[in-house]
Amino acid sequence: MPTQELTEVQQIVQELCLMNNKFMNKVFENNIPAAELLLRIILKNDKIKVKEVKVQNFIQNLYGHSAQMDILAQDEAGVYFNVEVQRSDEGAPAKRARFYSSLLDSNLLKAGKQYEQLPVTYVIFITENDVLQGNLPLYDIDRVIKQNGADFGDGTHIVYVNSKVQDDTPLGRLMQDFYCKDPARMHYSELAAKCGYLKM
């Protein structure tokens, strides 16, 4: 590659942040510390220990729409986490979250297994705008029994993160890092290290 062209490519990469899908995928690819940090902060659970993380994981649906998931991680307890970054409001409707959750279920329960063996799953959308328009930094969505408010307990969880909220909290600082173009100014070393490597 000619030197001039390489310089132009490097300049483009310097302007990328984690809200860019391709750059985010490269940062999280096989990056267990970064995935662990992300999930621990969003879910407020420091006990999450990620054992595997994949990016752009394609799930084939033989009978309908398939999906390519940005990040698919599994922790040591067998819980699965699908994380999607969406800059377009149209890319994060409630029914997409429902569909991704159903795809995980249909692919994680093998033939001959009992329904109780379905793993706990999380579908997490990090959105550029406040898609659910509740003026909240984060939305935890679980099925509940309407009559008494009790948890239905089916093991499915959907979470929306409003990246517009960038306050002085762990989640707010994480969202700041998702927009930060300079790794030296990031709050979290788990993200800064890989970002810095890719921007060398």
Side-chain angles (χ1 to χ4, degrees):
M1 182 183 291
T3 304
Q4 182 62 32
E5 187 178 348
L6 182 62
T7 302
E8 290 173 4
V9 170
Q10 287 175 328
Q11 288 174 350
I12 291 170
V13 172
Q14 294 302 315
E15 292 301 308
L16 296 178
C17 67
L18 291 169
M19 289 301 289
N20 176 281
N21 275 73
K22 289 183 179 180
F23 186 68
M24 184 268 295
N25 288 334
K26 293 302 292 183
V27 170
F28 281 92
E29 186 175 25
N30 299 317
N31 191 343
I32 287 176
E36 210 166 75
L37 170 84
L38 180 74
L39 296 172
R40 286 180 172 188
I41 290 175
I42 291 174
L43 301 177
K44 295 182 181 178
N45 182 356
D46 287 339
K47 295 181 180 179
I48 293 173
K49 293 185 181 294
V50 173
K51 73 171 188 178
E52 183 180 28
V53 58
K54 301 175 183 177
V55 299
Q56 293 298 299
N57 193 69
F58 187 74
I59 295 184
Q60 180 71 48
N61 178 5
L62 296 178
Y63 301 103
H65 197 70
S66 300
Q68 189 158 293
M69 299 182 170
D70 286 346
I71 299 172
L72 183 62
Q74 184 186 21
D75 73 3
E76 292 181 350
V79 179
Y80 282 84
F81 309 87
N82 166 223
V83 183
E84 300 289 320
V85 170
Q86 289 296 329
R87 304 200 81 159
S88 167
D89 291 358
E90 290 78 18
K95 288 188 177 178
R96 183 174 184 181
R98 170 185 163 186
F99 177 71
Y100 274 41
S101 182
S102 69
L103 265 186
L104 283 173
D105 285 346
S106 62
N107 280 269
L108 294 175
L109 187 66
K110 303 303 180 187
K113 299 293 184 180
Q114 300 297 313
Y115 294 118
E116 287 302 314
Q117 293 176 278
L118 266 172
V120 172
T121 61
Y122 286 83
V123 174
I124 301 168
F125 282 98
I126 299 173
T127 61
E128 183 167 22
N129 298 310
D130 187 6
V131 174
L132 300 185
Q133 299 181 352
N135 200 30
L136 297 172
L138 186 140
Y139 303 84
D140 280 311
I141 303 148
D142 291 337
R143 290 188 177 97
V144 298
I145 300 169
K146 286 184 177 181
Q147 285 72 19
N148 59 14
D151 184 10
F152 185 51
D154 64 349
T156 62
H157 307 275
I158 293 171
V159 179
Y160 278 72
V161 181
N162 172 15
S163 73
K164 288 291 187 190
V165 179
Q166 299 180 18
D167 54 15
D168 192 26
T169 63
L171 181 61
R173 291 190 290 273
L174 179 66
M175 291 303 100
Q176 290 174 41
D177 281 3
F178 261 70
Y179 283 88
C180 186
K181 297 175 183 178
D182 181 1
R185 301 183 65 182
M186 285 183 158
H187 298 282
Y188 295 106
S189 60
E190 294 89 340
L191 300 175
K194 189 67 174 286
C195 288
Y197 172 78
L198 293 171
K199 288 175 179 269
M200 284 178 58

